[in-house]
Amino acid sequence: LKPNAPCGIVLAPRADLASQRLGPERRSTTSTLSMFRSLAAVATAVLLLAPHVAEGTSARLRSRGIFNWGASHTMSDKECTCNCCISELRRPSEANGLINAKCTSPPENDHRISLYGCSRTCTVVNDPIFPGELGTMKLEYNRYCFYHCAPTGSASAVAKASSNSDPEAKLYGGNLVDTDCVPLKGDFLKQAIMADHNGRDPEAPAAPTSR
């Protein structure tokens, strides 16, 4: 009971009186505004958290090896290929029995440099021998040829050029001075893989099918 109130009459709290003064339409409008304010607060929170969520997702993908490199990691050199490698004889310290040939980059005046657009360096992508920190790695072509390619013959360029001057060369057309190289496969590719990612001599034998 409120002081000075007539006996038996209870005065309603102010909030209730305010609610009673508002009609059904005003109360509906007030509820709608409250709902919109809540939705706006939720949307603001989502916008603030979105960059942190995206950054965390990207980090998890990189840790799993997904999207190892992207637009920010462009290749400055062409991708490596054994088309830019030729066979040559190994040094005595590199030879091992019948394994006397290896692959290396061609000399500067070699026709395949302009034919295949070869350069001194190249890039490997998601490579088993040279994986790189971001999935790519820049290599000297000599290094790529030695660890990644197998010779298709063991005759030197000097020997081939000399044999082309023989009379018999006119009968079978002679030899190409360069001996091609082909990509390593199977066990020889596995043999070239090292835990320290520096590569290992695959000692792939020369295939006797190429002149």
Side-chain angles (χ1 to χ4, degrees):
L1 293 178
K2 297 291 183 178
N4 303 324
C7 184
I9 299 177
V10 179
L11 296 179
R14 291 185 179 181
D16 293 340
L17 288 174
S19 178
Q20 289 173 7
R21 291 193 189 100
L22 295 175
E25 295 181 358
R26 294 287 301 278
R27 287 197 296 270
S28 177
T29 302
T30 302
S31 300
T32 302
L33 290 174
S34 298
M35 180 180 68
F36 278 119
R37 289 192 188 100
S38 299
L39 291 175
V42 172
T44 301
V46 170
L47 290 175
L48 291 174
L49 290 174
H52 301 284
V53 173
E55 184 179 355
T57 302
S58 177
R60 287 193 296 272
L61 289 175
R62 288 194 299 267
S63 67
R64 296 176 185 176
I66 303 173
F67 307 134
N68 281 337
W69 63 289
S72 61
H73 301 286
T74 56
M75 292 191 301
S76 58
D77 296 281
K78 289 184 178 181
E79 191 168 357
C80 301
T81 171
C82 291
N83 289 333
C84 290
C85 305
I86 61 172
S87 173
E88 74 172 13
L89 294 177
R90 288 174 175 256
R91 300 186 182 95
S93 61
E94 297 173 339
N96 183 10
L98 296 177
I99 309 300
N100 63 347
K102 65 179 181 180
C103 289
T104 186
S105 58
E108 294 182 357
N109 61 346
D110 197 283
H111 74 283
R112 69 180 58 229
I113 291 180
S114 59
L115 179 63
Y116 297 109
C118 308
S119 60
R120 292 184 178 181
T121 59
C122 61
T123 302
V124 291
V125 180
N126 294 330
D127 189 75
I129 302 175
F130 306 108
E133 294 183 0
L134 297 173
T136 65
M137 190 169 182
K138 183 176 180 178
L139 297 173
E140 294 285 339
Y141 242 116
N142 270 337
R143 189 179 184 193
Y144 175 82
C145 294
F146 183 79
Y147 291 106
H148 251 290
C149 308
T152 57
S154 58
S156 67
V158 174
K160 285 187 171 186
S162 177
S163 66
N164 285 340
S165 61
D166 294 340
E168 295 182 357
K170 297 180 181 180
L171 299 177
Y172 60 79
N175 297 292
L176 295 174
V177 176
D178 287 344
T179 299
D180 294 335
C181 290
V182 294
L184 288 176
K185 295 180 180 179
D187 292 337
F188 291 113
L189 178 60
K190 294 178 182 178
Q191 184 170 315
I193 298 173
M194 286 285 288
D196 61 3
H197 301 156
N198 285 321
R200 176 171 55 189
D201 187 352
E203 295 189 337
T209 56
S210 175
R211 289 180 178 178

